[in-house]
Amino acid sequence: NYGRIELTNASAYSVNATLTVADGSLVNAPDGVIVALHGTAGGVRTLDAQLDNQGTLNLEDDSLTLSRSNAQHLNSGAIQLVGGDLTINQSGDNPSFTNTGQITIDADRQFYVAGGTFQQQAGSFSGEGMLAFSSVDAHFTTDFSNAETGLTANNSILHGPGTFTNALGKTLTLTSSTINADLVNAGLLEAHRIVTFNGALSTTTDSTLRVE
């Protein structure tokens, strides 16, 4: 895609919009734009495709679900969660999402990954929204701090070699998860059920570790 793809609705009624690519990848070129729009009456917006985003994926004023079995998604461009949440449902054989680009998650928005593998190899996160993992094997080559963008993990494994930092005044909630990386706690760290720390866990004088 070298142009603009819109998932929207021009009807007076709520209508779902789904773009399916049954074989190969949906390649969004560096000058390409894919945008999720509410339209006149809303509906569910879905990309049923293996996505290779080199351009811009913009959730302008509606949420979007990325859902394709056995997919290895790539982002080397920009993903912007402005007016909606992005849900990545991963299933099948070795599904993954690899990021080397820029992901912006605005306040009250969520970048949600369910299942599969998440690879944070390069690039960055920004915005005051939330990065959320559920049943994900997440690998971070880069360091991650929730000083701006929040993080939660449920039934997931977080790997290094990057270091995770729970910043001063912030809350990091971990539920039934394993941390195979160094973690610096300067805020409120909530550990629900069984949480295992296999890397170095360091704390500051202003920090709290709450085990529930």
Side-chain angles (χ1 to χ4, degrees):
N1 172 48
Y2 293 95
R4 179 180 172 92
I5 296 174
E6 294 183 350
L7 299 172
T8 187
N9 172 22
S11 171
Y13 306 97
S14 177
V15 176
N16 299 337
T18 300
L19 174 61
T20 300
V21 178
D23 190 26
S25 295
L26 169 58
V27 179
N28 193 37
D31 54 353
V33 177
I34 301 173
V35 59
L37 297 167
H38 181 78
T40 54
V44 177
R45 310 287 175 252
T46 304
L47 281 179
D48 182 14
Q50 177 173 278
L51 178 65
D52 180 357
N53 181 50
Q54 304 167 18
T56 300
L57 175 62
N58 184 7
L59 279 60
E60 186 171 306
D61 61 1
D62 209 341
S63 295
L64 177 70
T65 298
L66 182 59
S67 181
R68 186 71 182 174
S69 181
N70 309 319
Q72 284 81 49
H73 304 295
L74 301 172
N75 176 57
S76 58
I79 297 178
Q80 301 166 344
L81 278 61
V82 179
D85 302 325
L86 178 62
T87 297
I88 303 171
N89 290 325
Q90 301 195 115
S91 63
D93 294 330
N94 302 313
S96 64
F97 185 102
T98 300
N99 180 55
T100 57
Q102 287 72 48
I103 298 175
T104 302
I105 312 170
D106 281 5
D108 300 322
R109 302 273 64 96
Q110 180 172 256
F111 187 104
Y112 178 76
V113 186
T117 299
F118 182 89
Q119 298 275 359
Q120 172 61 18
Q121 294 183 348
S124 63
F125 289 89
S126 62
E128 297 181 351
M130 183 68 67
L131 172 62
F133 295 124
S134 179
S135 301
V136 174
D137 194 27
H139 298 256
F140 279 71
T141 301
T142 62
D143 295 341
F144 183 91
S145 171
N146 63 356
E148 183 176 6
T149 303
L151 174 67
T152 65
N154 178 33
N155 194 34
S156 296
I157 304 174
L158 304 184
H159 302 270
T163 296
F164 293 87
T165 298
N166 183 33
L168 179 66
K170 301 296 183 177
T171 299
L172 172 59
T173 301
L174 305 173
T175 304
S176 302
S177 294
T178 299
I179 313 302
N180 290 331
D182 293 347
L183 191 155
V184 179
N185 182 34
L188 171 59
L189 175 57
E190 295 183 333
H192 298 279
R193 299 176 187 172
I194 298 175
V195 176
T196 303
F197 299 94
N198 290 323
L201 174 61
S202 58
T203 62
T204 68
T205 56
D206 297 318
S207 68
T208 300
L209 171 60
R210 181 175 296 158
V211 181
E212 298 180 344

